[in-house]
Amino acid sequence: MNRYLVDGILAESQSAVIAGAPKTMKTSIAVDLAISLANGTPFLSRFKVNEPQRVLFLSAESGKASLKETAKRVATSKGLCLSAMEAIYWNFWVPRVREEQHLTVLDHQIDESKAKVVILDPLYLMLEGTHQASVSDNGQQLQTLCGRFLAGGVTPVLVDHVKRSSLNSSTFKPLELLDITGAGKAEYFRQWMLIGRREKFNPEKRVHRLWLTVGGSAGHCGLHELAIDESRSEDNQRSWLVNFKCEPDSVVRKMNEYSRKLSNPFDHRNGVGT
C-alpha cells in the first residue's frame, strides 16, 4: 500500500519532479513543501502532511540570500520561526551525477541530516548535458541519482524546467509531462507537480495566478487553480499568501479528468508509454 507524505501530492519512496517554466514559483513552492514536511503543517496551506519528516534541501540556483528570504516568508505564513527549525537542513550546491566524489558528499549529508526527503534544485545542473536528447542516457543518470536515495528509504524531489517551446506554457494552459525539458524524464518520474501560469504576471499586483497539475503512479491526480500573493507591506516586506480557487464539484471532476488524461504516464494516447 502506498503511504503518502502529503495527501494526494507526494507518495513515499517514489521519485518526484516539480517542473515549470522560468519564474513560475518552482523553488518557492519547493521551499513551502520542505517547511511543511519538516513541521507537519499543510503544504500550500491546503494539503495535509501526515507526519513530520527530516528534510535536506540542496539549492544551487536561487542563491543563499534569496532562498533564506523566501523560507522566512513561508515559515511566517505558517506561524513558524525559521531559525527554530531543527528538522530541515539547507545547503547551497547540487551534485553532478557522474562525479563520484559529489555522490559521496551527498551520501554523507544524508547520513548527517538523517533526512527522509531530499529536495534538489535544479536538475539541469546535475545531469551531464551532452546527451540530453537521449532517453537512455538521461534515464541512466536519473536512475543513478534517484536510485541512490530510494535504496536508503529516502524520497527524492527534483526541481526542473519545461521546454521553452512549450505551447501550454506560452498560452497559459495546464502543463503536461511531455512539456518537461530533456528526454526520458516523463518516462522516469513516478509523481509530479507541474506549475504553469494561468495569466501573464502583473508586477504591480504581485499575485501569481498558477495552474498546479499533480499526479503519480500511486493513483493520485488533480488540477488546481491557485494564487500566491507576494505583495509588499508598508514596511516593504513581501508576503506569502496562498489561496486556491474553490469550484463546484462538477467543475472539480472535469478538472481532475483533464489532469488525469494529460498526465497519466501509463496512457499510451499521451505518447509517453510505460
Side-chain angles (χ1 to χ4, degrees), residues 16 108 132 259:
H108 174 73
Q132 285 294 293
S259 173

Side-chain angles (χ1 to χ4, degrees), residues 176 178 260-273:
E176 54 185 294
L178 292 180
R260 186 180 299 110
K261 179 180 178 182
L262 63 85
S263 296
N264 187 352
F266 300 108
D267 188 345
H268 287 276
R269 292 171 297 176
N270 289 330
V272 177

Side-chain angles (χ1 to χ4, degrees), residues 3-232:
R3 176 174 178 264
Y4 278 93
L5 302 177
V6 182
D7 277 354
I9 296 289
L10 186 68
E12 184 179 44
S13 297
Q14 295 189 19
S15 57
V17 64
I18 298 174
K23 312 307 178 188
T24 52
M25 312 299 287
K26 299 183 299 297
T27 298
S28 297
I29 288 173
V31 168
D32 192 301
L33 177 64
I35 291 175
S36 298
L37 285 168
N39 294 276
T41 56
F43 171 49
L44 295 175
S45 302
R46 176 164 178 162
F47 302 103
K48 180 184 177 184
V49 172
N50 289 307
E51 183 180 347
Q53 305 289 326
R54 300 180 80 84
V55 179
L56 174 63
F57 195 112
L58 301 181
S59 174
E61 188 175 53
S62 299
K64 185 175 181 178
S66 177
L67 198 68
K68 182 178 180 180
E69 189 269 345
T70 298
K72 287 182 67 175
R73 288 188 290 116
V74 172
T76 299
S77 75
K78 299 174 184 291
L80 301 169
C81 177
L82 182 65
S83 61
M85 294 180 190
E86 298 181 351
I88 184 168
Y89 301 82
W90 308 90
N91 219 310
F92 301 96
W93 77 294
V94 290
R96 296 287 295 183
V97 175
R98 289 185 167 156
E99 295 285 345
E100 190 60 37
Q101 185 178 3
H102 285 202
L103 298 180
T104 299
V105 172
L106 177 62
D107 288 342
H108 174 73
Q109 292 187 344
I110 293 172
D111 291 341
E112 186 177 49
S113 65
K114 297 182 173 58
K116 300 304 292 182
V117 177
V118 177
I119 300 174
L120 304 102
D121 176 26
L123 179 55
Y124 75 85
L125 289 180
M126 293 181 270
L127 302 183
E128 198 277 328
T130 306
H131 304 293
Q132 285 294 293
S134 169
V135 173
S136 176
D137 191 66
N138 275 353
Q140 289 175 9
Q141 292 189 71
L142 289 169
Q143 181 59 44
T144 296
L145 180 63
C146 293
R148 207 174 188 99
F149 297 122
L150 297 172
V154 177
T155 301
V157 181
L158 281 60
V159 180
D160 201 8
H161 291 74
V162 300
K163 301 168 185 173
R164 293 187 180 276
S165 61
S166 166
L167 184 61
N168 288 325
S169 178
S170 63
T171 56
F172 306 110
K173 294 180 180 178
L175 299 179
E176 54 185 294
L177 280 173
L178 292 180
D179 286 312
I180 299 176
T181 184
K185 297 174 183 176
E187 292 83 353
Y188 180 80
F189 287 109
R190 296 297 88 201
Q191 50 188 337
W192 50 89
M193 285 177 263
L194 308 178
I195 304 162
R197 292 198 178 276
R198 292 189 280 129
E199 63 184 32
K200 187 176 181 179
F201 177 64
N202 183 345
E204 293 184 359
K205 293 185 176 180
R206 298 180 184 271
V207 176
H208 306 267
R209 304 189 188 280
L210 306 171
W211 294 110
L212 174 63
T213 305
V214 301
S217 301
H220 59 282
C221 62
L223 177 61
H224 306 278
E225 295 181 49
L226 71 153
I228 299 176
D229 186 343
E230 289 193 304
S231 58
R232 292 186 180 273

